Structures are given as C-alpha cells and as structure tokens.
Amino acid sequence: MMDWSFATAAAVLLALGPERLPAQPPDDASPASSNVPGARSPSIHRDGRVTFTLRAPDANALQVAGGDGLGKGPFPMTKGVDGTWSVTIPGPVPGFHYYWFVLDGVSVNDPGSETYFGYGRETSGIEIPEPGADFYEVKNVAHGEVREQWYFSRTTQQRRRALVYTPPGYDKYVSRRYPVLVLQHGLGEDETGWTRQGKAQFILDNLVAAGKTQPMIVVMDRGYASMPGTPQFALAADSRLRDLHLAFGTFADVVVRDLIPTIDASYRTIADRGHRALAGLSMGGMQALFIASHHLGEFAYIASFSGPPVYGTDPDERLDTSLQGEFDPKRAYDGLFSDPAKFNQRIKLLWLGAGTEEKELHARIRAVADTLRRSGVPVVFFESPGTAHEWQTWRRDLFDLAPRLFR
Amino acid sequence: MMDWSFATAAAVLLALGPERLPAQPPDDASPASSNVPGARSPSIHRDGRVTFTLRAPDANALQVAGGDGLGKGPFPMTKGVDGTWSVTIPGPVPGFHYYWFVLDGVSVNDPGSETYFGYGRETSGIEIPEPGADFYEVKNVAHGEVREQWYFSRTTQQRRRALVYTPPGYDKYVSRRYPVLVLQHGLGEDETGWTRQGKAQFILDNLVAAGKTQPMIVVMDRGYASMPGTPQFALAADSRLRDLHLAFGTFADVVVRDLIPTIDASYRTIADRGHRALAGLSMGGMQALFIASHHLGEFAYIASFSGPPVYGTDPDERLDTSLQGEFDPKRAYDGLFSDPAKFNQRIKLLWLGAGTEEKELHARIRAVADTLRRSGVPVVFFESPGTAHEWQTWRRDLFDLAPRLFR
C-alpha cells in the first residue's frame, strides 16, 4: 500500500524515533509540555528535577546548557552502555527556560524539544510547571485568535510580519471597537516570542474570561528594523549609544508610521492615544521608553519589563560601560521626564518591572522608579518574586499590567 | 547601561554568532531565504549549488543529509584549518527541502536555518528558488490572515489547535460568506506545514489577486488523533490496515464532528457540502480519501496530493506489503467508488496528483486514476514535472487545485 518514498519518510521517522525515545522516563517523571509530541526527554520529576537524555554513541562529550533560569550549568552528561547520554539536574525555577546540548563542542538543539526563537536562532526550551499557577494555561474559556499580519513598511521598504491577538468575541461583536497594546520581545527573540514562550494569548484569554481586564488587541512585531541599504543593527562589544538610537529610531518609525496605521486600518481599534499602550521586555522595554520619548503623543500607557534603564546621554558612550552612569531624570531619555506635569498629563500609566533574581537590574530599575517618583512622576513598580531575566517574570508582568490598562 | 543578565544574553548572542557566521559566503552565493536572519550559511550559488558550513573544531565527522529533493546524500563535509567544516553540493531541484547535519553520528539542526516541523521533530530546511516561479512568493498584493484557532474536541477530549487562513478582505466584507477547504499535511508533519513549508497563504493570496480563484477559507489541522486512553497512532513496520483505519477513523471524527462545526460557528462559511473541499498531501491525501469514504455527505471536492493509494481491503493486511495488491474500484476505500453514478452525483471534483520523480508512487496514482476513469469516475490527474515526494510538488498541486474549487 505504501510507496517507497512514503515508506522512506516513515522509515526515517522510525529511525529518528529511538534518538528521542531512548528509554522510558523514570517512574516519577513526565515529559515536559514543551517537548514535541511523543518525545519522552526531557522529563520532569515530581520533586522538580529534570532528566535530559540523548542517544549519541559516537560522541566524546555532551553537556546541557541554557539560560539563567535553568540553574548553574553547563551540566556534563554521562554515557550509558547503550550509547545514550543522560543527566538529572536540580529543579529549575518554574517557567520557560531556553536550553541546548553542547555536542562535541557545538551548541545544538534537543530533537525532543519544540523550538523557540531566542539568541538569534531556533532554540530548545523547557516548560517547568509552577504549582498553583495556571494564569497562562490553555483553559476551557473563550479563546481569542493570533493572526499573522503581513504589511509593507515604507520606512524600511520591506514586507514585515506582525502577529496580532484579537480578543474572544472579536468576530462576533462586529460593531465593537478595541484598545491596542503593542507588546515587544527581547534581544535575540522575534515576534513569535510572546505567544510561543510568553503565552500572552492565554494570559489575556484568562483575564478576559475572569472579567479582570478590558478585551484588547495585542500587536507583536519584530523589534529589528534598518533603513534600506544600511546593515541590520547588531549589538557588539563596542556599540555606542548612537548605534542604539539609530536602530531603535528606525524601529520607532516603523511602529508609528507603518505598523499602527496598518493595525488601525485592518482592525476595529479605538484609534487614539488614550486607547494605545506600548510595552516590551528587556530590549523591548528599552524600546518602549525610547519610542515614548520620541512619540509621546502616540501612547498613554508605557511599560518596561526588565528593560535595562538607559543612563547615558552621550552618543559616544559605550553601551557596556554606561552601567557606571547616574540616572538623571531631567536629561535621560532625551528629556522625557524633564517636565513631570506635562508627562503626567499625557501618560496615564508608567509601569516598570523586574524579577527579584535579576539582582543588579532589579536594583537599578527600582532605583529609577524611586528617582522618578521623587521627581514627581508616578510609577508602578512590580517585582516578580524568585525569578530572573526570563519568561516567567514577563508572563507575571503582563498578568499584572493588562488589568491596569485602558481604565 | 546594561545589566549583567542582559549583557549575558548579548554575550551569548555574540558567542553564538561565529558558529553561524563562520565566513563570508562565496562571492557568487547568497544566504538561503529559509535561514534565520543574519545567517550566511547555507548559501546558494548562482549556478544552483549549495554550500553548507558549520564551525565544529572538536567534531570527528560531519555530514549534511536530507530529504529526497536535496540530492543523493549524505554529503561528507571537510574540516578547514579554523575548525569550520563545509561542503558544496550539486544544485538540488527547486523548492523546499528538509535537511540536517549528522554531527559525530547524531542528527542535529543547522543553527543557521529556521526550523520546520517534519519527521516528527523540528528540522532545518532550505528554500531553493525556482527561476520564473513566483506563485508562492510574498507579493505586493492584498494578504489574507493565518489565524490560530483553539477548540475542544469531544472526540479526543482534548484541546486542539487548527490554523485558519481567511482570504483578503474577510474583515472588510462583513456580510460575505466563504467556502471552506480543509488542507492536511503529511506524515511526521503538523498543522504548521502548509503555511511554513507550503506557503499556502501566499499561493491563495496571489490566486485571489489575479482573479483566478474564489476567495476561500482554508483550515489546517493536526492530522493525528486518538481516543481518550488509547496510545497515539505510530506507524510501524508491522502496522496493519486496521491500525490505519483506527487512526484515520478517529481523525475523521474530529474533522466531521468537532472541527467543521467549530469553523462554521467561528467564521462566515457557506456551511453546506457544496462549498466544502477536503485535500491533503501524502498521509493527508490518504486521509482525504478515507474521510470521503466514510462521510461522503460532507464534502463535494476531494483531492489527494501524492497520497499512496490504499489497495488492500483486508484489515489484517500489513501496510508495507500491500503494494502487491490490485486496485479494485468496486471494493477499495470501503466501496467509495462502487457506484459511480452515486459518487458522481455527490462529488463535483476528484483530484489526484503526483510528482514525476516520485517514480513508483506516480505510476500507481496514475494507474488508479486510469482505473477509476474506466469504471466511470471522472478524475483530474495532475503531474508536477521533475519533482518528487516534496513540497514543491504540493505547492504546484494547490496552485492547480484551488482554481477548480467551488465553481
């Protein structure tokens, strides 16, 4: 019944199988929800420890490495008699963590994992459940949709893709109009981050179902943009503040001149600044404040999730040395906060957040919040307990922020 | 200005960079459009050859391997003085091809490539342009949307995700209703295949813009389903026809009882059989005919793209030996074609296709088409010249099929 080429595909599928089905997971462990269907590794033990396995009979060395939240890696794996390597690591903090194998010195994905765009490439990831936390789960509630929206940017002269979340009932209540939240990813990530890693659509679905937030449209774009003929922005050890301004400035133009008009033309938005919010994580948080400082008339709500504050004002200043600077509320962000009365008149909410475990960044963002408050600018400062520069922090940020918007 | 954790992310990004930016591509070569942004390898030469590179100073052996369309691999790579391995392979046929590296015996993704779900895992892929063919490109035309639709299946008692293409203007012409094409992926792939590998949304956008096809809604679901408490269907060397029937039967129930009612309730469909089509590639083509044979009342248009014909009728028959069988139009597919007059009354179009280079399958599908015609069942048989069991065949199939639907 089966053709050779179909049979070949089936045979390859079967041949690949053993690599990702090397053994039954330990009795007290279950495959991670972030695995591809059928993959038994990585698996999570009842006590939170995680076991990774990979069949690699000819490899000389194998490790698991990953983002901060995974723990103090890299973790050397040991080879079993059947050529399957494995390691069990202490329980990581709950949430989503990027990880990868280091196979004879090369960083590669785990074939057992779905892939998630981070570090400028497709990367493996593991979801560690948080006991008692289900605000980002797919629940039995009305769901919104995530839509792929292609549009032409006059700024970059290129087609771009944005992902757009429309809330539950959007297609049903055809005369209702909605406010808009622009929500940006971090460095090395892309427009898929907030729905794949962040589960923003389920956070919003659940908040709307509970009556805790206004139904809103959420727009997620790709946070990179360069003018025609100029190279893509690449963060480097010798980047200067002006490089950042150039890159963020082009992206700001894309958002304000191209993206927002596209969204207002394509969806039933309430197309005024009072119904428009801008938020982002890490680099996206930097961008939110940068864009606000140049386009204060476009957004009434601004939020930065773990966004490194920009202290410097000298365009020649190097990005990685400006940690030494002082935050001057009169001069920072091109004077965004220099006139608190004017700022407060325009901005209904300035929201800053950080995880308590992203130690230095947490302290710096809190200090900025305190300085701003003292200067007369109200700030909501939100702490995510026990989490670092990672998605569980940002999921909690969104969960806290969304109910405060468009009130 | 930068926090340590942000700086860490940036440092990792930079550290990862050299692996996928090992060298300038050769002067006459350009990075593939299927690469992640910024990745220079793989690159495609003007004469069609492809160069793959990977930095792996400590590896002992490295190869490139991939699907049929890539060529007669695997291709051994050679190590340069700087630890970067490379190989240049003869020009593959145009279109999309899965591939992977074999690094010291382990199949791993290329960090320079986006990932595409195939072979039951996330896999690297390369897009080889076809001179003169732009029917699947993102053009400057009105675009439809691809939407993520979550729904609950009473059949499997699980939440499922379908992707739904709505045509250009869907949100604008709010009183217009549309016909529906259900379009399925192949074995080892999932609901993302038709938009990521197949570019179905752009094929439809371009056809609609040219006035060559009716605007339609396209629904892409995950072609796997199992009843609660039963294991997922896994094709194996000893699978019997009854295993297939069980797996496809559950999926058929999902489509007819859960998916179609969800789509009819959620979108402005024309909710009758005359405006409903069912198509799929490879395993999806088998499923299209299987579902038609059990739910003839639901669809007026049926298409199988490179779908291995099911010859056997004995449930104990092994799947991989039934190639020896005869196609009996009276008995095959539970008698779907046993009464041509009745079949023709209900089905407006039966469409079968194959690539000329999937030799045996092509011959068998053509033989089935001939046998059916002789028995009194009209069939459109479409050949994709020069392509095998691969996405370029299926893109062309959709491009031929769509204008024939809903006339």
Side-chain angles (χ1 to χ4, degrees), chain A residues 1-3 37 60 104 114-115 119 122 140 145-148 159 171 222 267 282 322-323 361, chain B residues 1-3 6 13 37 60 104 114-115 119 122 140 145-148 159 171 222 267 322-323 361:
Chain A
M1 183 217 81
M2 236 177 296
D3 179 79
N60 295 320
D104 289 347
E114 291 282 356
T115 54
Y119 301 102
E122 295 289 349
N140 192 16
E145 289 182 328
V146 178
R147 308 177 178 197
E148 183 182 299
R159 298 238 140 228
D171 277 355
R222 186 180 189 79
Y267 300 91
S282 195
S322 50
L323 275 174
L361 185 54
Chain B
M1 182 215 79
M2 238 176 295
D3 179 77
F6 181 76
L13 192 70
N60 296 317
D104 289 348
E114 292 281 357
T115 54
Y119 303 101
E122 295 288 347
N140 192 15
E145 288 182 330
V146 177
R147 306 178 179 196
E148 183 182 299
R159 297 240 139 228
D171 277 354
R222 186 178 188 81
Y267 300 92
S322 50
L323 275 175
L361 185 55

Side-chain angles (χ1 to χ4, degrees), chain B residues 278-342:
Chain B
L278 177 58
L281 74 89
S282 195
M283 181 184 79
M286 299 171 75
Q287 290 173 325
L289 283 166
F290 180 91
I291 294 173
S293 71
H294 291 86
H295 303 279
L296 192 56
E298 298 291 335
F299 304 92
Y301 301 83
I302 305 292
S304 174
F305 303 171
S306 308
V310 177
Y311 291 74
T313 54
D314 177 354
D316 283 325
E317 203 165 349
R318 275 178 56 172
L319 295 180
D320 56 345
T321 58
S322 50
L323 275 175
Q324 309 307 322
E326 281 294 313
F327 184 77
D328 178 351
K330 295 292 175 200
R331 297 178 64 225
Y333 294 100
D334 290 324
L336 175 64
F337 308 111
S338 61
D339 183 344
K342 182 183 160 203

